[in-house]
Amino acid sequence: MGGPNPQKAASSSQASRALEKEFVGRTYDDFLFRPQAGHVSTRREVSLRSKLTQHLELELPIVSANMDSVTGVAMAQTMALEGGIGILHRAQSIEAQADAVARVKRSQGYVVEEPLCLPRDATIREAREFIRKHRITGILIEERRGKRQLAGMLSNRDIPWFEGHDSEKVERFMTPIERLVTAAQGIPVENAEQLMFEHRIEKLPLIDASSRIQGLVTKKDIILARQRPYSSKDAKGRLLVGAAIGARGDFLERAGECLQAGADVVVIDIAHGHSVVMREAVEAFRSRFAAVPLVCGNVGTAEGALFLLDLGVDAIKVGIGPGRGCRTRLETAAGVPQLQALREVWCAVGESVPVIADGGVRNDKDIFLALVCGASTVMLGSMLSGTDESPGRVIEDPGTREKRKIYRGMTSPQAVFEALYDESPEDVDAGLETPAEGQEMQIPYQGSVVDILHRVRGHLRSAVSYAGEVSLARVREQVLPHPLQYLIPLSEAARRESYDR
Ligand code: XMP
């Protein structure tokens, strides 16, 4: 696992390579990739496996941004199911963020370890609300609230759909334990499946000898796991999820609660990651959570990356100002063109620590360029935020009937206002006094993020094939030491020919 790693820290004193001058001032639209002789017969067999941190790998090297218009529970679940990962944003109370982490962890896996329960004297009204709130299809019923003593199960089917029963107790409608099929904790998945099929049931509660609830196996989760062998999972088969924290105030408490809820990786995300604030935050974090995978950013220079490497972080997030909702470059002149930043960082740290390219991706080809110039994974914000899975509603323009969703920078006045209004209304005025470096915009609604990820996966595989390799890992191995042998700098005319459509 992570932790301050003397070897990693020492590597920063190794000679870094010099940034190739051709990358200075360059970004995604400045290069094309020179096609190589192809070796794959079907693109489906191309592996895109890549490192998120030193010890966590993803089958799809895509990370959804920790923004309140991008990653909530639904996005994080879908990202992990599709082989990427979502980082839950921190513009919410610690309790709400930890609850979101728990919901992602609980949503999949062969065994739901701490299934949600209601006591037998709960009302049907309570059960209905519970099911809606937690988006589950059945509830385990316990003898007494919090005692985890199984009394029965109440499924959606058991709940009267007509009026008049709201005040009645769930015990009247549940299947009692005597009639339930149950199993012991630790039952192998195959046996659980067999048992569920024999009895034609979709949920199998796991209990100990004294009927205490130990878990729940669901048919849906088993099937989903089989359909998506590429999903990002932990050792227990639960979806991977990350949590963003700040660098000040209650950030350690936030980290603690999110880790307790099951977060697999923590992201300390601040606008200027090459700073004393970051140093103090990482030192404090490490003294409490030495072994937790820690991603830090953002930086955009070799010096910033070496600074984070020396602090012993497990991945470096790179991007100063390329984000679509971001105004930092416009307002402060601070920033590094994103491809230069990625290359500069890779030249400084090499493969000693994975790099996350954060922001500025507008087309799928940008993702490939990021990956072959230095990044191991790519964080997306606006590209994913017009989807069903992102937080927020679809709005329809009454004039054009176009459907849109809101995307906004996390330092936009709207995002700052909402985060503070919920948490500490007395700080709203002070928060809004800091001039914004982010903006809000409407972007076209695009349906499910699953379709976008499917497209990205296909285009990345295609790009690997054009690069003459069978896996992303092999392309990176070939290209990273000499990218200029593979990249063609574009003239204005070539750019028009390539991109004007
Ligand atoms: P894309 O281009 O994928 O970028 O939409 C997502 C990234 O943008 C960053 N971000 C901001 N940067 N001010 C900034 O300077 C902001 O208000 C802001 N909000 C988000 C962030 O790194 C995100 O992942």
Side-chain angles (χ1 to χ4, degrees), residues 387-422:
T387 60
D388 293 326
E389 290 81 358
S390 68
R393 283 176 178 280
V394 177
I395 16 187
E396 189 179 276
D397 184 309
T400 62
R401 297 265 178 257
E402 275 169 9
K403 292 195 166 79
R404 307 227 181 90
K405 282 191 91 163
I406 299 277
Y407 170 71
R408 62 192 189 188
M410 290 307 293
T411 61
S412 64
Q414 295 89 340
V416 170
F417 175 82
E418 257 179 55
L420 289 174
Y421 188 78
D422 288 346

PDB file of all heavy atoms in Angstrom, residues 387-422:
ATOM      1  N   THR A 387     -24.880  13.522 -18.395  1.00  0.00           N
ATOM      2  CA  THR A 387     -25.475  12.176 -18.432  1.00  0.00           C
ATOM      3  C   THR A 387     -26.500  11.932 -17.330  1.00  0.00           C
ATOM      4  O   THR A 387     -26.589  12.699 -16.372  1.00  0.00           O
ATOM      5  CB  THR A 387     -24.361  11.117 -18.300  1.00  0.00           C
ATOM      6  OG1 THR A 387     -23.690  11.329 -17.054  1.00  0.00           O
ATOM      7  CG2 THR A 387     -23.365  11.218 -19.425  1.00  0.00           C
ATOM      8  N   ASP A 388     -27.210  10.827 -17.474  1.00  0.00           N
ATOM      9  CA  ASP A 388     -28.199  10.441 -16.458  1.00  0.00           C
ATOM     10  C   ASP A 388     -27.545  10.254 -15.095  1.00  0.00           C
ATOM     11  O   ASP A 388     -28.152  10.505 -14.057  1.00  0.00           O
ATOM     12  CB  ASP A 388     -28.823   9.082 -16.825  1.00  0.00           C
ATOM     13  CG  ASP A 388     -29.655   9.169 -18.089  1.00  0.00           C
ATOM     14  OD1 ASP A 388     -30.267  10.231 -18.302  1.00  0.00           O
ATOM     15  OD2 ASP A 388     -29.674   8.190 -18.852  1.00  0.00           O
ATOM     16  N   GLU A 389     -26.306   9.768 -15.096  1.00  0.00           N
ATOM     17  CA  GLU A 389     -25.665   9.389 -13.838  1.00  0.00           C
ATOM     18  C   GLU A 389     -25.073  10.570 -13.091  1.00  0.00           C
ATOM     19  O   GLU A 389     -24.725  10.444 -11.915  1.00  0.00           O
ATOM     20  CB  GLU A 389     -24.571   8.347 -14.102  1.00  0.00           C
ATOM     21  CG  GLU A 389     -25.094   6.976 -14.506  1.00  0.00           C
ATOM     22  CD  GLU A 389     -25.483   6.878 -15.985  1.00  0.00           C
ATOM     23  OE1 GLU A 389     -25.388   7.899 -16.706  1.00  0.00           O
ATOM     24  OE2 GLU A 389     -25.883   5.782 -16.418  1.00  0.00           O
ATOM     25  N   SER A 390     -24.900  11.736 -13.736  1.00  0.00           N
ATOM     26  CA  SER A 390     -24.332  12.869 -13.011  1.00  0.00           C
ATOM     27  C   SER A 390     -25.417  13.495 -12.145  1.00  0.00           C
ATOM     28  O   SER A 390     -26.609  13.395 -12.474  1.00  0.00           O
ATOM     29  CB  SER A 390     -23.773  13.904 -13.995  1.00  0.00           C
ATOM     30  OG  SER A 390     -24.841  14.502 -14.696  1.00  0.00           O
ATOM     31  N   PRO A 391     -25.029  14.134 -11.034  1.00  0.00           N
ATOM     32  CA  PRO A 391     -26.044  14.774 -10.194  1.00  0.00           C
ATOM     33  C   PRO A 391     -26.754  15.888 -10.977  1.00  0.00           C
ATOM     34  O   PRO A 391     -26.204  16.429 -11.934  1.00  0.00           O
ATOM     35  CB  PRO A 391     -25.227  15.367  -9.047  1.00  0.00           C
ATOM     36  CG  PRO A 391     -23.927  14.630  -9.071  1.00  0.00           C
ATOM     37  CD  PRO A 391     -23.677  14.260 -10.492  1.00  0.00           C
ATOM     38  N   GLY A 392     -27.945  16.229 -10.580  1.00  0.00           N
ATOM     39  CA  GLY A 392     -28.660  17.342 -11.220  1.00  0.00           C
ATOM     40  C   GLY A 392     -29.687  16.875 -12.225  1.00  0.00           C
ATOM     41  O   GLY A 392     -29.682  15.723 -12.656  1.00  0.00           O
ATOM     42  N   ARG A 393     -30.569  17.811 -12.559  1.00  0.00           N
ATOM     43  CA  ARG A 393     -31.691  17.481 -13.434  1.00  0.00           C
ATOM     44  C   ARG A 393     -31.418  17.819 -14.889  1.00  0.00           C
ATOM     45  O   ARG A 393     -30.615  18.702 -15.182  1.00  0.00           O
ATOM     46  CB  ARG A 393     -32.905  18.332 -13.028  1.00  0.00           C
ATOM     47  CG  ARG A 393     -33.579  17.842 -11.798  1.00  0.00           C
ATOM     48  CD  ARG A 393     -34.692  18.793 -11.412  1.00  0.00           C
ATOM     49  NE  ARG A 393     -35.376  18.277 -10.243  1.00  0.00           N
ATOM     50  CZ  ARG A 393     -36.294  17.317 -10.273  1.00  0.00           C
ATOM     51  NH1 ARG A 393     -36.674  16.800 -11.411  1.00  0.00           N
ATOM     52  NH2 ARG A 393     -36.854  16.882  -9.165  1.00  0.00           N
ATOM     53  N   VAL A 394     -32.161  17.156 -15.762  1.00  0.00           N
ATOM     54  CA  VAL A 394     -32.109  17.517 -17.180  1.00  0.00           C
ATOM     55  C   VAL A 394     -33.036  18.720 -17.349  1.00  0.00           C
ATOM     56  O   VAL A 394     -34.163  18.716 -16.859  1.00  0.00           O
ATOM     57  CB  VAL A 394     -32.617  16.343 -18.052  1.00  0.00           C
ATOM     58  CG1 VAL A 394     -32.634  16.739 -19.519  1.00  0.00           C
ATOM     59  CG2 VAL A 394     -31.751  15.110 -17.828  1.00  0.00           C
ATOM     60  N   ILE A 395     -32.535  19.775 -18.016  1.00  0.00           N
ATOM     61  CA  ILE A 395     -33.399  20.919 -18.280  1.00  0.00           C
ATOM     62  C   ILE A 395     -33.703  20.985 -19.774  1.00  0.00           C
ATOM     63  O   ILE A 395     -32.811  20.729 -20.583  1.00  0.00           O
ATOM     64  CB  ILE A 395     -32.767  22.271 -17.858  1.00  0.00           C
ATOM     65  CG1 ILE A 395     -31.266  22.122 -17.648  1.00  0.00           C
ATOM     66  CG2 ILE A 395     -33.431  22.874 -16.649  1.00  0.00           C
ATOM     67  CD1 ILE A 395     -30.588  23.333 -17.072  1.00  0.00           C
ATOM     68  N   GLU A 396     -34.928  21.358 -20.079  1.00  0.00           N
ATOM     69  CA  GLU A 396     -35.270  21.450 -21.491  1.00  0.00           C
ATOM     70  C   GLU A 396     -35.450  22.917 -21.852  1.00  0.00           C
ATOM     71  O   GLU A 396     -36.174  23.639 -21.179  1.00  0.00           O
ATOM     72  CB  GLU A 396     -36.552  20.678 -21.770  1.00  0.00           C
ATOM     73  CG  GLU A 396     -36.813  20.560 -23.261  1.00  0.00           C
ATOM     74  CD  GLU A 396     -38.075  19.762 -23.559  1.00  0.00           C
ATOM     75  OE1 GLU A 396     -37.989  18.534 -23.596  1.00  0.00           O
ATOM     76  OE2 GLU A 396     -39.125  20.392 -23.738  1.00  0.00           O
ATOM     77  N   ASP A 397     -34.752  23.354 -22.890  1.00  0.00           N
ATOM     78  CA  ASP A 397     -34.898  24.722 -23.353  1.00  0.00           C
ATOM     79  C   ASP A 397     -36.283  24.865 -23.987  1.00  0.00           C
ATOM     80  O   ASP A 397     -36.591  24.167 -24.955  1.00  0.00           O
ATOM     81  CB  ASP A 397     -33.814  25.023 -24.390  1.00  0.00           C
ATOM     82  CG  ASP A 397     -33.846  26.473 -24.840  1.00  0.00           C
ATOM     83  OD1 ASP A 397     -34.937  26.968 -25.219  1.00  0.00           O
ATOM     84  OD2 ASP A 397     -32.779  27.095 -24.823  1.00  0.00           O
ATOM     85  N   PRO A 398     -37.139  25.750 -23.431  1.00  0.00           N
ATOM     86  CA  PRO A 398     -38.506  25.817 -23.943  1.00  0.00           C
ATOM     87  C   PRO A 398     -38.560  26.262 -25.400  1.00  0.00           C
ATOM     88  O   PRO A 398     -39.484  25.921 -26.130  1.00  0.00           O
ATOM     89  CB  PRO A 398     -39.196  26.842 -23.039  1.00  0.00           C
ATOM     90  CG  PRO A 398     -38.155  27.413 -22.164  1.00  0.00           C
ATOM     91  CD  PRO A 398     -36.868  26.684 -22.354  1.00  0.00           C
ATOM     92  N   GLY A 399     -37.555  27.025 -25.852  1.00  0.00           N
ATOM     93  CA  GLY A 399     -37.546  27.507 -27.231  1.00  0.00           C
ATOM     94  C   GLY A 399     -37.121  26.423 -28.199  1.00  0.00           C
ATOM     95  O   GLY A 399     -37.825  26.109 -29.160  1.00  0.00           O
ATOM     96  N   THR A 400     -35.960  25.838 -27.929  1.00  0.00           N
ATOM     97  CA  THR A 400     -35.388  24.897 -28.905  1.00  0.00           C
ATOM     98  C   THR A 400     -35.714  23.441 -28.590  1.00  0.00           C
ATOM     99  O   THR A 400     -35.470  22.559 -29.408  1.00  0.00           O
ATOM    100  CB  THR A 400     -33.853  25.017 -28.904  1.00  0.00           C
ATOM    101  OG1 THR A 400     -33.406  24.664 -27.584  1.00  0.00           O
ATOM    102  CG2 THR A 400     -33.403  26.410 -29.244  1.00  0.00           C
ATOM    103  N   ARG A 401     -36.223  23.197 -27.390  1.00  0.00           N
ATOM    104  CA  ARG A 401     -36.501  21.833 -26.924  1.00  0.00           C
ATOM    105  C   ARG A 401     -35.226  21.013 -26.710  1.00  0.00           C
ATOM    106  O   ARG A 401     -35.271  19.803 -26.580  1.00  0.00           O
ATOM    107  CB  ARG A 401     -37.409  21.072 -27.905  1.00  0.00           C
ATOM    108  CG  ARG A 401     -38.773  21.688 -28.059  1.00  0.00           C
ATOM    109  CD  ARG A 401     -39.776  21.014 -27.117  1.00  0.00           C
ATOM    110  NE  ARG A 401     -41.091  21.622 -27.226  1.00  0.00           N
ATOM    111  CZ  ARG A 401     -41.587  22.482 -26.338  1.00  0.00           C
ATOM    112  NH1 ARG A 401     -40.913  22.817 -25.259  1.00  0.00           N
ATOM    113  NH2 ARG A 401     -42.786  23.001 -26.499  1.00  0.00           N
ATOM    114  N   GLU A 402     -34.093  21.711 -26.723  1.00  0.00           N
ATOM    115  CA  GLU A 402     -32.843  20.985 -26.468  1.00  0.00           C
ATOM    116  C   GLU A 402     -32.742  20.637 -24.992  1.00  0.00           C
ATOM    117  O   GLU A 402     -33.088  21.451 -24.135  1.00  0.00           O
ATOM    118  CB  GLU A 402     -31.641  21.859 -26.844  1.00  0.00           C
ATOM    119  CG  GLU A 402     -31.281  21.773 -28.297  1.00  0.00           C
ATOM    120  CD  GLU A 402     -30.277  22.850 -28.680  1.00  0.00           C
ATOM    121  OE1 GLU A 402     -29.755  23.536 -27.771  1.00  0.00           O
ATOM    122  OE2 GLU A 402     -30.049  23.004 -29.876  1.00  0.00           O
ATOM    123  N   LYS A 403     -32.239  19.443 -24.724  1.00  0.00           N
ATOM    124  CA  LYS A 403     -32.088  19.026 -23.339  1.00  0.00           C
ATOM    125  C   LYS A 403     -30.645  19.269 -22.893  1.00  0.00           C
ATOM    126  O   LYS A 403     -29.704  18.975 -23.632  1.00  0.00           O
ATOM    127  CB  LYS A 403     -32.431  17.546 -23.194  1.00  0.00           C
ATOM    128  CG  LYS A 403     -33.894  17.241 -23.428  1.00  0.00           C
ATOM    129  CD  LYS A 403     -34.208  15.856 -22.905  1.00  0.00           C
ATOM    130  CE  LYS A 403     -35.685  15.607 -22.795  1.00  0.00           C
ATOM    131  NZ  LYS A 403     -36.323  15.297 -24.047  1.00  0.00           N
ATOM    132  N   ARG A 404     -30.533  19.785 -21.678  1.00  0.00           N
ATOM    133  CA  ARG A 404     -29.193  20.120 -21.193  1.00  0.00           C
ATOM    134  C   ARG A 404     -29.048  19.756 -19.725  1.00  0.00           C
ATOM    135  O   ARG A 404     -30.035  19.547 -19.022  1.00  0.00           O
ATOM    136  CB  ARG A 404     -28.968  21.637 -21.306  1.00  0.00           C
ATOM    137  CG  ARG A 404     -29.241  22.212 -22.670  1.00  0.00           C
ATOM    138  CD  ARG A 404     -28.102  23.118 -23.065  1.00  0.00           C
ATOM    139  NE  ARG A 404     -28.358  23.691 -24.374  1.00  0.00           N
ATOM    140  CZ  ARG A 404     -29.007  24.842 -24.560  1.00  0.00           C
ATOM    141  NH1 ARG A 404     -29.453  25.524 -23.526  1.00  0.00           N
ATOM    142  NH2 ARG A 404     -29.184  25.292 -25.778  1.00  0.00           N
ATOM    143  N   LYS A 405     -27.794  19.726 -19.263  1.00  0.00           N
ATOM    144  CA  LYS A 405     -27.540  19.622 -17.827  1.00  0.00           C
ATOM    145  C   LYS A 405     -26.526  20.685 -17.441  1.00  0.00           C
ATOM    146  O   LYS A 405     -25.786  21.186 -18.285  1.00  0.00           O
ATOM    147  CB  LYS A 405     -27.026  18.219 -17.459  1.00  0.00           C
ATOM    148  CG  LYS A 405     -28.141  17.185 -17.394  1.00  0.00           C
ATOM    149  CD  LYS A 405     -27.696  15.884 -16.774  1.00  0.00           C
ATOM    150  CE  LYS A 405     -27.912  15.856 -15.273  1.00  0.00           C
ATOM    151  NZ  LYS A 405     -27.859  14.484 -14.714  1.00  0.00           N
ATOM    152  N   ILE A 406     -26.535  21.004 -16.162  1.00  0.00           N
ATOM    153  CA  ILE A 406     -25.600  22.031 -15.684  1.00  0.00           C
ATOM    154  C   ILE A 406     -24.251  21.389 -15.369  1.00  0.00           C
ATOM    155  O   ILE A 406     -24.172  20.341 -14.749  1.00  0.00           O
ATOM    156  CB  ILE A 406     -26.130  22.673 -14.366  1.00  0.00           C
ATOM    157  CG1 ILE A 406     -27.477  23.351 -14.586  1.00  0.00           C
ATOM    158  CG2 ILE A 406     -25.100  23.599 -13.747  1.00  0.00           C
ATOM    159  CD1 ILE A 406     -27.410  24.737 -15.140  1.00  0.00           C
ATOM    160  N   TYR A 407     -23.199  22.051 -15.838  1.00  0.00           N
ATOM    161  CA  TYR A 407     -21.826  21.667 -15.470  1.00  0.00           C
ATOM    162  C   TYR A 407     -21.181  22.908 -14.886  1.00  0.00           C
ATOM    163  O   TYR A 407     -21.314  23.998 -15.441  1.00  0.00           O
ATOM    164  CB  TYR A 407     -21.077  21.215 -16.726  1.00  0.00           C
ATOM    165  CG  TYR A 407     -19.590  21.031 -16.491  1.00  0.00           C
ATOM    166  CD1 TYR A 407     -19.116  19.970 -15.736  1.00  0.00           C
ATOM    167  CD2 TYR A 407     -18.661  21.935 -17.008  1.00  0.00           C
ATOM    168  CE1 TYR A 407     -17.758  19.805 -15.512  1.00  0.00           C
ATOM    169  CE2 TYR A 407     -17.299  21.770 -16.792  1.00  0.00           C
ATOM    170  CZ  TYR A 407     -16.858  20.706 -16.040  1.00  0.00           C
ATOM    171  OH  TYR A 407     -15.516  20.537 -15.817  1.00  0.00           O
ATOM    172  N   ARG A 408     -20.497  22.756 -13.770  1.00  0.00           N
ATOM    173  CA  ARG A 408     -19.902  23.966 -13.198  1.00  0.00           C
ATOM    174  C   ARG A 408     -18.597  23.686 -12.488  1.00  0.00           C
ATOM    175  O   ARG A 408     -18.405  22.625 -11.875  1.00  0.00           O
ATOM    176  CB  ARG A 408     -20.879  24.602 -12.222  1.00  0.00           C
ATOM    177  CG  ARG A 408     -21.203  23.709 -11.055  1.00  0.00           C
ATOM    178  CD  ARG A 408     -22.368  24.269 -10.298  1.00  0.00           C
ATOM    179  NE  ARG A 408     -22.578  23.556  -9.062  1.00  0.00           N
ATOM    180  CZ  ARG A 408     -23.634  23.750  -8.288  1.00  0.00           C
ATOM    181  NH1 ARG A 408     -24.560  24.625  -8.631  1.00  0.00           N
ATOM    182  NH2 ARG A 408     -23.751  23.093  -7.170  1.00  0.00           N
ATOM    183  N   GLY A 409     -17.684  24.628 -12.632  1.00  0.00           N
ATOM    184  CA  GLY A 409     -16.412  24.551 -11.919  1.00  0.00           C
ATOM    185  C   GLY A 409     -16.689  24.586 -10.421  1.00  0.00           C
ATOM    186  O   GLY A 409     -17.664  25.213  -9.982  1.00  0.00           O
ATOM    187  N   MET A 410     -15.833  23.924  -9.660  1.00  0.00           N
ATOM    188  CA  MET A 410     -16.094  23.842  -8.223  1.00  0.00           C
ATOM    189  C   MET A 410     -15.819  25.147  -7.506  1.00  0.00           C
ATOM    190  O   MET A 410     -16.191  25.310  -6.349  1.00  0.00           O
ATOM    191  CB  MET A 410     -15.273  22.709  -7.596  1.00  0.00           C
ATOM    192  CG  MET A 410     -15.752  21.331  -8.008  1.00  0.00           C
ATOM    193  SD  MET A 410     -17.514  21.093  -7.705  1.00  0.00           S
ATOM    194  CE  MET A 410     -17.555  21.125  -5.924  1.00  0.00           C
ATOM    195  N   THR A 411     -15.155  26.102  -8.171  1.00  0.00           N
ATOM    196  CA  THR A 411     -15.013  27.407  -7.528  1.00  0.00           C
ATOM    197  C   THR A 411     -15.939  28.431  -8.198  1.00  0.00           C
ATOM    198  O   THR A 411     -15.770  29.630  -8.004  1.00  0.00           O
ATOM    199  CB  THR A 411     -13.555  27.924  -7.597  1.00  0.00           C
ATOM    200  OG1 THR A 411     -13.193  28.056  -8.977  1.00  0.00           O
ATOM    201  CG2 THR A 411     -12.595  26.964  -6.920  1.00  0.00           C
ATOM    202  N   SER A 412     -16.882  27.959  -9.006  1.00  0.00           N
ATOM    203  CA  SER A 412     -17.865  28.878  -9.583  1.00  0.00           C
ATOM    204  C   SER A 412     -18.722  29.415  -8.438  1.00  0.00           C
ATOM    205  O   SER A 412     -18.912  28.731  -7.421  1.00  0.00           O
ATOM    206  CB  SER A 412     -18.741  28.163 -10.597  1.00  0.00           C
ATOM    207  OG  SER A 412     -19.492  27.156  -9.950  1.00  0.00           O
ATOM    208  N   PRO A 413     -19.249  30.647  -8.568  1.00  0.00           N
ATOM    209  CA  PRO A 413     -20.060  31.212  -7.473  1.00  0.00           C
ATOM    210  C   PRO A 413     -21.208  30.281  -7.092  1.00  0.00           C
ATOM    211  O   PRO A 413     -21.503  30.110  -5.909  1.00  0.00           O
ATOM    212  CB  PRO A 413     -20.588  32.518  -8.074  1.00  0.00           C
ATOM    213  CG  PRO A 413     -19.668  32.847  -9.188  1.00  0.00           C
ATOM    214  CD  PRO A 413     -19.108  31.564  -9.707  1.00  0.00           C
ATOM    215  N   GLN A 414     -21.821  29.634  -8.078  1.00  0.00           N
ATOM    216  CA  GLN A 414     -22.972  28.764  -7.792  1.00  0.00           C
ATOM    217  C   GLN A 414     -22.562  27.574  -6.926  1.00  0.00           C
ATOM    218  O   GLN A 414     -23.249  27.230  -5.954  1.00  0.00           O
ATOM    219  CB  GLN A 414     -23.586  28.241  -9.104  1.00  0.00           C
ATOM    220  CG  GLN A 414     -24.193  29.311  -9.988  1.00  0.00           C
ATOM    221  CD  GLN A 414     -23.178  29.911 -10.971  1.00  0.00           C
ATOM    222  OE1 GLN A 414     -21.974  29.823 -10.779  1.00  0.00           O
ATOM    223  NE2 GLN A 414     -23.686  30.542 -12.007  1.00  0.00           N
ATOM    224  N   ALA A 415     -21.418  26.940  -7.277  1.00  0.00           N
ATOM    225  CA  ALA A 415     -20.976  25.766  -6.515  1.00  0.00           C
ATOM    226  C   ALA A 415     -20.552  26.178  -5.106  1.00  0.00           C
ATOM    227  O   ALA A 415     -20.865  25.508  -4.121  1.00  0.00           O
ATOM    228  CB  ALA A 415     -19.825  25.068  -7.241  1.00  0.00           C
ATOM    229  N   VAL A 416     -19.841  27.315  -5.018  1.00  0.00           N
ATOM    230  CA  VAL A 416     -19.382  27.793  -3.699  1.00  0.00           C
ATOM    231  C   VAL A 416     -20.592  28.099  -2.830  1.00  0.00           C
ATOM    232  O   VAL A 416     -20.678  27.693  -1.666  1.00  0.00           O
ATOM    233  CB  VAL A 416     -18.504  29.061  -3.872  1.00  0.00           C
ATOM    234  CG1 VAL A 416     -18.221  29.717  -2.527  1.00  0.00           C
ATOM    235  CG2 VAL A 416     -17.206  28.694  -4.579  1.00  0.00           C
ATOM    236  N   PHE A 417     -21.564  28.784  -3.413  1.00  0.00           N
ATOM    237  CA  PHE A 417     -22.758  29.157  -2.656  1.00  0.00           C
ATOM    238  C   PHE A 417     -23.457  27.915  -2.101  1.00  0.00           C
ATOM    239  O   PHE A 417     -23.734  27.821  -0.916  1.00  0.00           O
ATOM    240  CB  PHE A 417     -23.726  29.951  -3.542  1.00  0.00           C
ATOM    241  CG  PHE A 417     -25.026  30.267  -2.851  1.00  0.00           C
ATOM    242  CD1 PHE A 417     -25.106  31.349  -2.000  1.00  0.00           C
ATOM    243  CD2 PHE A 417     -26.138  29.455  -3.027  1.00  0.00           C
ATOM    244  CE1 PHE A 417     -26.291  31.632  -1.335  1.00  0.00           C
ATOM    245  CE2 PHE A 417     -27.328  29.721  -2.364  1.00  0.00           C
ATOM    246  CZ  PHE A 417     -27.405  30.819  -1.524  1.00  0.00           C
ATOM    247  N   GLU A 418     -23.695  26.951  -2.973  1.00  0.00           N
ATOM    248  CA  GLU A 418     -24.454  25.773  -2.523  1.00  0.00           C
ATOM    249  C   GLU A 418     -23.729  24.968  -1.469  1.00  0.00           C
ATOM    250  O   GLU A 418     -24.323  24.518  -0.494  1.00  0.00           O
ATOM    251  CB  GLU A 418     -24.776  24.861  -3.709  1.00  0.00           C
ATOM    252  CG  GLU A 418     -26.219  25.033  -4.130  1.00  0.00           C
ATOM    253  CD  GLU A 418     -26.566  24.169  -5.314  1.00  0.00           C
ATOM    254  OE1 GLU A 418     -26.365  22.954  -5.235  1.00  0.00           O
ATOM    255  OE2 GLU A 418     -27.024  24.750  -6.313  1.00  0.00           O
ATOM    256  N   ALA A 419     -22.414  24.801  -1.662  1.00  0.00           N
ATOM    257  CA  ALA A 419     -21.645  24.005  -0.692  1.00  0.00           C
ATOM    258  C   ALA A 419     -21.708  24.688   0.676  1.00  0.00           C
ATOM    259  O   ALA A 419     -21.932  24.044   1.700  1.00  0.00           O
ATOM    260  CB  ALA A 419     -20.217  23.857  -1.160  1.00  0.00           C
ATOM    261  N   LEU A 420     -21.540  26.014   0.691  1.00  0.00           N
ATOM    262  CA  LEU A 420     -21.518  26.720   1.974  1.00  0.00           C
ATOM    263  C   LEU A 420     -22.917  26.859   2.567  1.00  0.00           C
ATOM    264  O   LEU A 420     -23.103  26.762   3.783  1.00  0.00           O
ATOM    265  CB  LEU A 420     -20.901  28.118   1.805  1.00  0.00           C
ATOM    266  CG  LEU A 420     -19.391  28.119   1.548  1.00  0.00           C
ATOM    267  CD1 LEU A 420     -18.909  29.525   1.258  1.00  0.00           C
ATOM    268  CD2 LEU A 420     -18.644  27.559   2.758  1.00  0.00           C
ATOM    269  N   TYR A 421     -23.897  27.062   1.703  1.00  0.00           N
ATOM    270  CA  TYR A 421     -25.255  27.294   2.185  1.00  0.00           C
ATOM    271  C   TYR A 421     -25.747  26.095   3.008  1.00  0.00           C
ATOM    272  O   TYR A 421     -26.356  26.250   4.058  1.00  0.00           O
ATOM    273  CB  TYR A 421     -26.184  27.544   0.996  1.00  0.00           C
ATOM    274  CG  TYR A 421     -27.566  27.973   1.424  1.00  0.00           C
ATOM    275  CD1 TYR A 421     -27.794  29.283   1.833  1.00  0.00           C
ATOM    276  CD2 TYR A 421     -28.616  27.069   1.444  1.00  0.00           C
ATOM    277  CE1 TYR A 421     -29.051  29.688   2.252  1.00  0.00           C
ATOM    278  CE2 TYR A 421     -29.873  27.454   1.865  1.00  0.00           C
ATOM    279  CZ  TYR A 421     -30.088  28.768   2.267  1.00  0.00           C
ATOM    280  OH  TYR A 421     -31.324  29.147   2.684  1.00  0.00           O
ATOM    281  N   ASP A 422     -25.423  24.888   2.519  1.00  0.00           N
ATOM    282  CA  ASP A 422     -25.858  23.690   3.245  1.00  0.00           C
ATOM    283  C   ASP A 422     -25.069  23.477   4.527  1.00  0.00           C
ATOM    284  O   ASP A 422     -25.594  23.099   5.553  1.00  0.00           O
ATOM    285  CB  ASP A 422     -25.659  22.440   2.366  1.00  0.00           C
ATOM    286  CG  ASP A 422     -26.671  22.419   1.236  1.00  0.00           C
ATOM    287  OD1 ASP A 422     -27.635  23.194   1.324  1.00  0.00           O
ATOM    288  OD2 ASP A 422     -26.476  21.661   0.272  1.00  0.00           O
TER     289      ASP A 422
END
